[in-house]
mmCIF file with all atom_site columns, all heavy atoms in Angstrom:
data_model
loop_
_atom_site.group_PDB
_atom_site.id
_atom_site.type_symbol
_atom_site.label_atom_id
_atom_site.label_alt_id
_atom_site.label_comp_id
_atom_site.label_asym_id
_atom_site.label_entity_id
_atom_site.label_seq_id
_atom_site.pdbx_PDB_ins_code
_atom_site.Cartn_x
_atom_site.Cartn_y
_atom_site.Cartn_z
_atom_site.occupancy
_atom_site.B_iso_or_equiv
_atom_site.pdbx_formal_charge
_atom_site.auth_seq_id
_atom_site.auth_comp_id
_atom_site.auth_asym_id
_atom_site.auth_atom_id
_atom_site.pdbx_PDB_model_num
ATOM 1  N N   . SER B 1 67 ? -21.481 15.262 -9.486  1.00 97.00 ? 67 SER B N   1
ATOM 2  C CA  . SER B 1 67 ? -21.750 15.578 -10.814 1.00 97.00 ? 67 SER B CA  1
ATOM 3  C C   . SER B 1 67 ? -20.805 16.625 -11.378 1.00 97.00 ? 67 SER B C   1
ATOM 4  O O   . SER B 1 67 ? -20.233 17.435 -10.624 1.00 97.00 ? 67 SER B O   1
ATOM 5  C CB  . SER B 1 67 ? -23.200 16.046 -11.091 1.00 97.00 ? 67 SER B CB  1
ATOM 6  O OG  . SER B 1 67 ? -23.389 17.316 -10.399 1.00 97.00 ? 67 SER B OG  1
ATOM 7  N N   . ARG B 1 68 ? -20.548 16.648 -12.687 1.00 97.00 ? 68 ARG B N   1
ATOM 8  C CA  . ARG B 1 68 ? -19.651 17.658 -13.239 1.00 97.00 ? 68 ARG B CA  1
ATOM 9  C C   . ARG B 1 68 ? -20.411 18.065 -14.606 1.00 97.00 ? 68 ARG B C   1
ATOM 10 O O   . ARG B 1 68 ? -19.932 17.698 -15.695 1.00 97.00 ? 68 ARG B O   1
ATOM 11 C CB  . ARG B 1 68 ? -18.270 17.055 -13.562 1.00 97.00 ? 68 ARG B CB  1
ATOM 12 C CG  . ARG B 1 68 ? -17.329 18.217 -14.031 1.00 97.00 ? 68 ARG B CG  1
ATOM 13 C CD  . ARG B 1 68 ? -16.667 18.853 -12.918 1.00 97.00 ? 68 ARG B CD  1
ATOM 14 N NE  . ARG B 1 68 ? -15.853 19.929 -13.387 1.00 97.00 ? 68 ARG B NE  1
ATOM 15 C CZ  . ARG B 1 68 ? -14.580 19.901 -13.677 1.00 97.00 ? 68 ARG B CZ  1
ATOM 16 N NH1 . ARG B 1 68 ? -13.880 18.630 -13.723 1.00 97.00 ? 68 ARG B NH1 1
ATOM 17 N NH2 . ARG B 1 68 ? -13.859 20.901 -14.017 1.00 97.00 ? 68 ARG B NH2 1
ATOM 18 N N   . GLU B 1 69 ? -21.412 18.774 -14.480 1.00 97.00 ? 69 GLU B N   1
ATOM 19 C CA  . GLU B 1 69 ? -22.163 19.238 -15.745 1.00 97.00 ? 69 GLU B CA  1
ATOM 20 C C   . GLU B 1 69 ? -21.465 20.463 -16.391 1.00 97.00 ? 69 GLU B C   1
ATOM 21 O O   . GLU B 1 69 ? -21.631 20.737 -17.504 1.00 97.00 ? 69 GLU B O   1
ATOM 22 C CB  . GLU B 1 69 ? -23.592 19.605 -15.449 1.00 97.00 ? 69 GLU B CB  1
ATOM 23 C CG  . GLU B 1 69 ? -24.299 18.314 -14.857 1.00 97.00 ? 69 GLU B CG  1
ATOM 24 C CD  . GLU B 1 69 ? -25.715 18.583 -14.470 1.00 97.00 ? 69 GLU B CD  1
ATOM 25 O OE1 . GLU B 1 69 ? -26.138 19.785 -14.634 1.00 97.00 ? 69 GLU B OE1 1
ATOM 26 O OE2 . GLU B 1 69 ? -26.438 17.679 -14.017 1.00 97.00 ? 69 GLU B OE2 1
ATOM 27 N N   . LYS B 1 70 ? -20.726 21.271 -15.564 1.00 96.00 ? 70 LYS B N   1
ATOM 28 C CA  . LYS B 1 70 ? -20.037 22.446 -16.020 1.00 96.00 ? 70 LYS B CA  1
ATOM 29 C C   . LYS B 1 70 ? -18.597 22.343 -15.554 1.00 96.00 ? 70 LYS B C   1
ATOM 30 O O   . LYS B 1 70 ? -18.305 21.887 -14.393 1.00 96.00 ? 70 LYS B O   1
ATOM 31 C CB  . LYS B 1 70 ? -20.665 23.695 -15.559 1.00 96.00 ? 70 LYS B CB  1
ATOM 32 C CG  . LYS B 1 70 ? -22.184 23.950 -15.939 1.00 96.00 ? 70 LYS B CG  1
ATOM 33 C CD  . LYS B 1 70 ? -22.606 25.228 -15.523 1.00 96.00 ? 70 LYS B CD  1
ATOM 34 C CE  . LYS B 1 70 ? -22.575 25.428 -14.047 1.00 96.00 ? 70 LYS B CE  1
ATOM 35 N NZ  . LYS B 1 70 ? -23.124 26.775 -13.588 1.00 96.00 ? 70 LYS B NZ  1
ATOM 36 N N   . LYS B 1 71 ? -17.641 22.973 -16.311 1.00 96.00 ? 71 LYS B N   1
ATOM 37 C CA  . LYS B 1 71 ? -16.302 22.935 -15.917 1.00 96.00 ? 71 LYS B CA  1
ATOM 38 C C   . LYS B 1 71 ? -16.101 23.657 -14.564 1.00 96.00 ? 71 LYS B C   1
ATOM 39 O O   . LYS B 1 71 ? -15.221 23.323 -13.788 1.00 96.00 ? 71 LYS B O   1
ATOM 40 C CB  . LYS B 1 71 ? -15.420 23.714 -17.003 1.00 96.00 ? 71 LYS B CB  1
ATOM 41 C CG  . LYS B 1 71 ? -14.010 23.642 -16.853 1.00 96.00 ? 71 LYS B CG  1
ATOM 42 C CD  . LYS B 1 71 ? -13.342 24.291 -17.975 1.00 96.00 ? 71 LYS B CD  1
ATOM 43 C CE  . LYS B 1 71 ? -11.793 24.140 -17.876 1.00 96.00 ? 71 LYS B CE  1
ATOM 44 N NZ  . LYS B 1 71 ? -11.056 24.739 -19.003 1.00 96.00 ? 71 LYS B NZ  1
ATOM 45 N N   . GLU B 1 72 ? -16.924 24.722 -14.337 1.00 97.00 ? 72 GLU B N   1
ATOM 46 C CA  . GLU B 1 72 ? -16.741 25.480 -13.118 1.00 97.00 ? 72 GLU B CA  1
ATOM 47 C C   . GLU B 1 72 ? -17.240 24.888 -11.846 1.00 97.00 ? 72 GLU B C   1
ATOM 48 O O   . GLU B 1 72 ? -16.911 25.319 -10.762 1.00 97.00 ? 72 GLU B O   1
ATOM 49 C CB  . GLU B 1 72 ? -17.411 26.795 -13.315 1.00 97.00 ? 72 GLU B CB  1
ATOM 50 C CG  . GLU B 1 72 ? -16.897 27.595 -14.510 1.00 97.00 ? 72 GLU B CG  1
ATOM 51 C CD  . GLU B 1 72 ? -17.611 27.201 -15.814 1.00 97.00 ? 72 GLU B CD  1
ATOM 52 O OE1 . GLU B 1 72 ? -18.528 26.489 -15.782 1.00 97.00 ? 72 GLU B OE1 1
ATOM 53 O OE2 . GLU B 1 72 ? -16.969 27.473 -16.857 1.00 97.00 ? 72 GLU B OE2 1
ATOM 54 N N   . SER B 1 73 ? -18.090 23.891 -11.950 1.00 98.00 ? 73 SER B N   1
ATOM 55 C CA  . SER B 1 73 ? -18.907 23.387 -10.789 1.00 98.00 ? 73 SER B CA  1
ATOM 56 C C   . SER B 1 73 ? -18.723 21.906 -10.636 1.00 98.00 ? 73 SER B C   1
ATOM 57 O O   . SER B 1 73 ? -18.805 21.065 -11.474 1.00 98.00 ? 73 SER B O   1
ATOM 58 C CB  . SER B 1 73 ? -20.369 23.773 -11.101 1.00 98.00 ? 73 SER B CB  1
ATOM 59 O OG  . SER B 1 73 ? -21.150 23.294 -10.017 1.00 98.00 ? 73 SER B OG  1
ATOM 60 N N   . PHE B 1 74 ? -18.605 21.497 -9.227  1.00 98.00 ? 74 PHE B N   1
ATOM 61 C CA  . PHE B 1 74 ? -18.372 20.145 -8.919  1.00 98.00 ? 74 PHE B CA  1
ATOM 62 C C   . PHE B 1 74 ? -19.051 19.902 -7.620  1.00 98.00 ? 74 PHE B C   1
ATOM 63 O O   . PHE B 1 74 ? -18.419 19.711 -6.583  1.00 98.00 ? 74 PHE B O   1
ATOM 64 C CB  . PHE B 1 74 ? -16.939 19.829 -8.892  1.00 98.00 ? 74 PHE B CB  1
ATOM 65 C CG  . PHE B 1 74 ? -16.576 18.345 -8.867  1.00 98.00 ? 74 PHE B CG  1
ATOM 66 C CD1 . PHE B 1 74 ? -17.261 17.401 -9.581  1.00 98.00 ? 74 PHE B CD1 1
ATOM 67 C CD2 . PHE B 1 74 ? -15.568 17.962 -7.925  1.00 98.00 ? 74 PHE B CD2 1
ATOM 68 C CE1 . PHE B 1 74 ? -16.883 16.085 -9.540  1.00 98.00 ? 74 PHE B CE1 1
ATOM 69 C CE2 . PHE B 1 74 ? -15.174 16.558 -7.911  1.00 98.00 ? 74 PHE B CE2 1
ATOM 70 C CZ  . PHE B 1 74 ? -15.794 15.637 -8.660  1.00 98.00 ? 74 PHE B CZ  1
ATOM 71 N N   . PRO B 1 75 ? -20.390 19.867 -7.527  1.00 98.00 ? 75 PRO B N   1
ATOM 72 C CA  . PRO B 1 75 ? -21.054 19.619 -6.329  1.00 98.00 ? 75 PRO B CA  1
ATOM 73 C C   . PRO B 1 75 ? -20.978 18.229 -5.729  1.00 98.00 ? 75 PRO B C   1
ATOM 74 O O   . PRO B 1 75 ? -20.871 17.293 -6.436  1.00 98.00 ? 75 PRO B O   1
ATOM 75 C CB  . PRO B 1 75 ? -22.521 20.018 -6.634  1.00 98.00 ? 75 PRO B CB  1
ATOM 76 C CG  . PRO B 1 75 ? -22.619 19.740 -8.112  1.00 98.00 ? 75 PRO B CG  1
ATOM 77 C CD  . PRO B 1 75 ? -21.347 20.067 -8.708  1.00 98.00 ? 75 PRO B CD  1
ATOM 78 N N   . LEU B 1 76 ? -20.945 18.186 -4.421  1.00 98.00 ? 76 LEU B N   1
ATOM 79 C CA  . LEU B 1 76 ? -20.875 16.934 -3.703  1.00 98.00 ? 76 LEU B CA  1
ATOM 80 C C   . LEU B 1 76 ? -22.195 16.648 -2.897  1.00 98.00 ? 76 LEU B C   1
ATOM 81 O O   . LEU B 1 76 ? -22.600 17.546 -2.109  1.00 98.00 ? 76 LEU B O   1
ATOM 82 C CB  . LEU B 1 76 ? -19.689 16.720 -2.719  1.00 98.00 ? 76 LEU B CB  1
ATOM 83 C CG  . LEU B 1 76 ? -19.476 15.697 -1.896  1.00 98.00 ? 76 LEU B CG  1
ATOM 84 C CD1 . LEU B 1 76 ? -19.078 14.397 -2.677  1.00 98.00 ? 76 LEU B CD1 1
ATOM 85 C CD2 . LEU B 1 76 ? -18.547 15.908 -0.686  1.00 98.00 ? 76 LEU B CD2 1
ATOM 86 N N   . THR B 1 77 ? -22.783 15.510 -3.119  1.00 97.00 ? 77 THR B N   1
ATOM 87 C CA  . THR B 1 77 ? -23.950 15.103 -2.300  1.00 97.00 ? 77 THR B CA  1
ATOM 88 C C   . THR B 1 77 ? -23.507 14.125 -1.293  1.00 97.00 ? 77 THR B C   1
ATOM 89 O O   . THR B 1 77 ? -22.931 13.032 -1.674  1.00 97.00 ? 77 THR B O   1
ATOM 90 C CB  . THR B 1 77 ? -25.079 14.651 -3.158  1.00 97.00 ? 77 THR B CB  1
ATOM 91 O OG1 . THR B 1 77 ? -25.530 15.707 -4.086  1.00 97.00 ? 77 THR B OG1 1
ATOM 92 C CG2 . THR B 1 77 ? -26.319 14.169 -2.282  1.00 97.00 ? 77 THR B CG2 1
ATOM 93 N N   . VAL B 1 78 ? -23.791 14.425 0.002   1.00 95.00 ? 78 VAL B N   1
ATOM 94 C CA  . VAL B 1 78 ? -23.671 13.416 1.051   1.00 95.00 ? 78 VAL B CA  1
ATOM 95 C C   . VAL B 1 78 ? -24.940 12.727 1.321   1.00 95.00 ? 78 VAL B C   1
ATOM 96 O O   . VAL B 1 78 ? -25.913 13.330 1.738   1.00 95.00 ? 78 VAL B O   1
ATOM 97 C CB  . VAL B 1 78 ? -23.113 14.096 2.271   1.00 95.00 ? 78 VAL B CB  1
ATOM 98 C CG1 . VAL B 1 78 ? -22.816 13.117 3.410   1.00 95.00 ? 78 VAL B CG1 1
ATOM 99 C CG2 . VAL B 1 78 ? -21.924 14.978 2.070   1.00 95.00 ? 78 VAL B CG2 1
#
Side-chain angles (χ1 to χ4, degrees):
Chain B
S67 63
R68 187 89 186 274
E69 297 177 1
K70 298 186 300 181
K71 186 176 183 178
E72 302 80 17
S73 178
F74 191 42
L76 173 75
T77 296
V78 184

